[in-house]
Amino acid sequence: VDPAQTDDDYPQELFFMSQYSGNLTNRTITTENQPDLIFNRQYVYAQNWYVVDSARGITANKYLLTNTADAEATLPQGNFTSVGATSVGISSGTWLNSTGSYYQMWMWRANGGTTSSNGNGSITSTVQADPSGGFSIVTYTGSGSAATIGHGLSAAPTFYIVRDINNGNNWVVYAKGAGATKFGVLDTTAAFATDPMFNNTAPTNTVFSVGTSTETNGSGRNYIAYCFANTEGYIQSGTYRGNGNDDGPYICTGFRPAMVIMKERDSTDDWVLYDDQRGGYNLSQSGNTALYPNDNYAQDNYFTIDILSNGFKLRTSSGTINASGATYIYLAFAQNPFQYATAR
């Protein structure tokens, strides 16, 4: 994971971000690598979160929204025009390229759109995974009966999101920190709830489990899952306990985070996303700006964190991310592993 190496399996080549200002002209946005999963939105003003991936075809412009339960739809302006080794083409359409608007893409590399059939589970899945084994995109067709699905990773995933593609349904979240008997919902503020959504079974090195809910396993329905496994120097998912103090807890990830997503496990509140690209960085620089994957809110700096060389520290007493005694789920991606990191 040394970023000086010439291979393409270190953090900045697996998770990366690009920003651009809208100008209503066809254009090419430079990226660190070829993305297979893209979250795109205008962040200074309110806008939905558009999600496209290479499993469904990025230039096919088939999108889902993280902040709604709407079924898959097609971007009407051909907004994604190309995907290259270090670029993404954006059309002149106003949806993702409006003059005076500022956009960001959060991107993950998997396998360049090259998929393979995976028969490890009772349902055969189609999988593509990144070179590190920490991230995979999985598609499958539900059976309506409790089942297992191959995820294609080299370790048990610690965080994954499952979505019914063609029907209006929630984004269902498994987090190791909540356990296999609970599930979260990315597109709402709902607390993690007790339900056999994942058949009360933790994932293994080869498969994850689903119950009989139409949100994860309706008979004949098509699903996509984004799976993440804790990977030293790259991905860390876990929990932390809030202290209700502006001098909040420090969470060690073992790397300088490029992005952190967090959610209170047992209470109703927003999902919150921070990254090192927008606004200030740490408390002395007006704090990191937050976005909310469950809603279309514009960014704000109501709840701030410090991004450090080996983790992050909360700088707010707000219950959204730091209520006293509350447990929070988080998912973090690296900018640099600790041995190569410099604090902001």
Side-chain angles (χ1 to χ4, degrees):
V1 295
D2 180 354
Q5 68 186 6
T6 56
D7 288 337
D8 57 3
D9 59 350
Y10 56 92
Q12 296 95 321
E13 295 289 322
L14 299 172
F15 171 74
F16 40 96
M17 293 168 279
S18 293
Q19 294 180 332
Y20 61 97
S21 301
N23 63 9
L24 288 177
T25 63
N26 295 329
R27 60 197 310 175
T28 300
I29 309 301
T30 299
T31 64
E32 189 71 32
N33 206 324
Q34 179 173 326
D36 290 292
L37 172 62
I38 302 175
F39 286 22
N40 186 310
R41 65 157 289 172
Q42 195 288 125
Y43 58 88
V44 175
Y45 306 107
Q47 190 182 46
N48 293 323
W49 296 77
Y50 294 95
V51 179
V52 295
D53 58 65
S54 58
R56 295 175 295 137
I58 292 173
T59 57
N61 284 286
K62 300 291 187 182
Y63 74 89
L64 293 162
L65 303 174
T66 70
N67 54 294
T68 78
D70 295 346
E72 178 186 75
T74 303
L75 285 162
Q77 301 167 329
N79 298 83
F80 292 97
T81 59
S82 65
V83 180
T86 55
S87 67
V88 172
I90 301 292
S91 78
S92 60
T94 56
W95 282 37
L96 297 180
N97 196 9
S98 183
T99 299
S101 294
Y102 298 90
Y103 298 87
Q104 183 159 313
M105 292 188 288
W106 296 258
M107 294 169 282
W108 292 260
R109 183 193 173 200
N111 195 22
T114 301
T115 61
S116 60
S117 179
N118 186 302
N120 288 330
S122 58
I123 293 175
T124 298
S125 59
T126 300
V127 172
Q128 54 172 316
D130 77 16
S132 79
F135 165 61
S136 66
I137 301 174
V138 180
T139 58
Y140 65 94
T141 300
S143 66
S145 301
T148 56
I149 296 145
H151 51 67
L153 299 179
S154 54
T158 51
F159 192 101
Y160 46 89
I161 310 165
V162 181
R163 185 63 155 77
D164 181 349
I165 296 172
N166 305 120
N167 301 277
N169 238 326
N170 294 120
W171 294 78
V172 179
V173 177
Y174 167 87
K176 183 178 180 180
T181 64
K182 291 182 178 289
F183 74 96
V185 180
L186 183 63
D187 53 290
T188 77
T189 61
F192 277 71
T194 301
D195 186 276
M197 188 69 68
F198 302 112
N199 202 31
N200 297 328
T201 305
T204 71
N205 288 356
T206 56
V207 300
F208 65 88
S209 296
V210 289
T212 59
S213 169
T214 58
E215 291 178 303
T216 57
N217 191 24
S219 179
R221 294 192 176 200
N222 296 316
Y223 295 88
I224 194 158
Y226 304 128
C227 302
F228 304 95
N230 282 0
T231 304
E232 186 177 2
Y234 173 38
I235 298 172
Q236 180 69 34
S237 176
T239 63
Y240 67 86
R241 183 65 63 89
N243 66 7
N245 193 300
D246 285 344
D247 184 12
Y250 156 73
I251 297 89
C252 179
T253 59
F255 51 75
R256 192 182 86 203
M259 183 178 82
V260 183
I261 302 172
M262 57 192 72
K263 168 76 171 76
E264 186 172 359
R265 186 186 65 188
D266 302 314
S267 296
T268 300
D269 218 326
D270 291 307
W271 293 82
V272 186
L273 181 151
Y274 299 92
D275 62 60
D276 66 356
Q277 298 297 301
R278 296 170 297 107
Y281 294 100
N282 292 342
L283 191 64
S284 61
Q285 297 173 290
S286 301
N288 298 88
T289 50
L291 286 166
Y292 306 90
N294 58 279
D295 214 307
N296 66 354
Y297 303 142
Q299 69 177 7
D300 62 51
N301 60 357
Y302 298 148
F303 322 120
T304 58
I305 69 171
D306 282 352
I307 291 177
L308 307 172
S309 62
N310 57 351
F312 62 97
K313 180 177 175 60
L314 307 183
R315 291 293 190 178
T316 177
S317 60
S318 168
T320 300
I321 63 172
N322 190 22
S324 180
T327 298
Y328 294 83
I329 303 292
Y330 74 88
L331 174 65
F333 299 92
Q335 169 58 242
N336 276 332
F338 177 54
Q339 62 266 46
Y340 308 109
T342 54
R344 292 281 188 171

